[in-house]
Amino acid sequence: MASLKYWLWLTTRKGLRPEHAVRLLEHFGTPEGAYFADPGEYDLLSDLPLPVRTALQEKHLAEAEGILADCERLGLRILTLGDADYPDRLKNIYDPPAVLYVKGRLPAFDEEIAVAVVGSRRPSEYGKRMAGRLGLELAREGALVVSGIAQGLDTEAVRGALKGGGPVVSVLGCGIDVTYPRATRFLYEDVAAAGALLSEYPPGTPPEGWHFPVRNRIISGVSLGVVAVECGVRSGTMTTVRQALDQDRDVFAVPGNADAPMSEGPNRLIQQGARLVTCARDVLREYEDRFPGKVRRPVPLSGEEAAARLEPRAEEPEEKHTEDAEKAVDKSPERAYIARSALAG
């Protein structure tokens, strides 16, 4: 616990981005080393912005201690970049989160066929069917499904995976104790019971618009590949795909009608070399040799059986359109960072 408070101190410095935390850990070795450093030592890191070097001189631990208390009260685990079970896949990206908050059972990502299924917040009925079916089939056939938990195709994929009886991980753009959007509150409980909720944001953090593109690098980072179901060519899903490519992950895409707006993104990805996906088998055949014994071959479900499994439960009302925080305007320095990231590649 004594060590954890220094990790939390480091990651709550104002203006500090994930790659800054990595740079500090490379230089000082540990968060304690950064905390107890003389102010002049921070100036040696001239590649860090001046506001970050200034924030490092603030040695108050009250915020870190408050986060520790919140995590204990909420039953959250704090996973740090220095922990042995921190996933190597995530550790080796350019900007891994120095701290992850976990609710549920953390899977051994490096031993799993983890596949991210992502797509539009405002999908077509076709997109909903495909995301739900992919989640269901991937889970039944041995994959670990990874997604966000926003309304739209994220929730369809997550529901499908849960109904397929497999583990699922949802990465959030807010504190784990903040349910966003409210329509997914039942899914929060189900995911935590069957797998894990992850966030790099402390408890109580609201869903700021710029959090979500940052969050997406974790979705792709813990996964072997990313499946784009439906999206526009300029969208959060395409940002996730670019991040996946930067991380040397596989990219898959579900084809759609040439004149369907939400199929424009996946169709373009297929033109550019993404693997075309119509079912889970199209994804899993890529990993069978690398993960012998992981892929299962259950009795295929008929179309009617799959549709019946994917019917919403009584407590899962059809989601109404709400203004998505991911569209919110944010004029913070972090927004500029996200804009640069979204244009990369």
Side-chain angles (χ1 to χ4, degrees), residues 50-105:
L50 179 58
V52 172
R53 285 179 273 149
T54 301
L56 290 168
Q57 298 181 42
E58 299 169 359
K59 306 297 185 178
H60 307 296
L61 292 173
E63 182 179 5
E65 291 168 349
I67 293 171
L68 282 173
D70 287 340
C71 289
E72 184 173 2
R73 173 176 55 83
L74 295 166
L76 307 183
R77 179 189 173 187
I78 301 172
L79 182 72
T80 76
L81 199 52
D83 290 334
D85 54 348
Y86 190 101
D88 283 341
R89 284 180 199 163
L90 189 59
K91 185 180 294 184
N92 292 325
I93 70 173
Y94 167 68
D95 48 359
V99 163
L100 280 173
Y101 300 89
V102 183
K103 183 174 183 179
R105 185 179 66 258

Side-chain angles (χ1 to χ4, degrees), residues 1-16 21 24-25 28 30-38 42 52-68 78 80 98-99 101 202:
M1 295 292 283
S3 174
L4 278 177
K5 69 181 179 182
Y6 296 111
W7 283 97
L8 300 182
W9 166 82
L10 177 64
T11 54
T12 54
R13 297 305 86 203
K14 186 175 181 180
L16 184 113
L24 286 161
L25 291 169
F28 292 108
T30 64
E32 292 99 320
Y35 179 85
F36 290 108
D38 293 328
Y42 302 139
V52 172
R53 285 179 273 149
T54 301
L56 290 168
Q57 298 181 42
E58 299 169 359
K59 306 297 185 178
H60 307 296
L61 292 173
E63 182 179 5
E65 291 168 349
I67 293 171
L68 282 173
I78 301 172
T80 76
V99 163
Y101 300 89

Side-chain angles (χ1 to χ4, degrees), residues 132-206:
R133 176 183 162 190
L134 282 169
L136 176 69
E137 292 178 350
L138 285 166
R140 291 186 77 235
E141 297 181 33
L144 166 65
V145 175
V146 182
S147 193
I149 205 167
Q151 67 183 50
L153 295 187
D154 285 12
T155 58
E156 297 299 330
V158 168
R159 285 182 179 132
L162 290 169
K163 291 173 182 178
V168 61
V169 169
S170 287
V171 187
L172 311 181
C174 54
I176 287 179
D177 59 329
V178 178
T179 304
Y180 175 79
R182 287 293 300 167
T184 63
R185 62 190 181 279
F186 301 113
L187 276 184
Y188 269 63
E189 300 166 7
D190 292 344
V191 170
L197 296 167
L198 303 182
S199 178
E200 64 184 316
Y201 301 108
T205 303

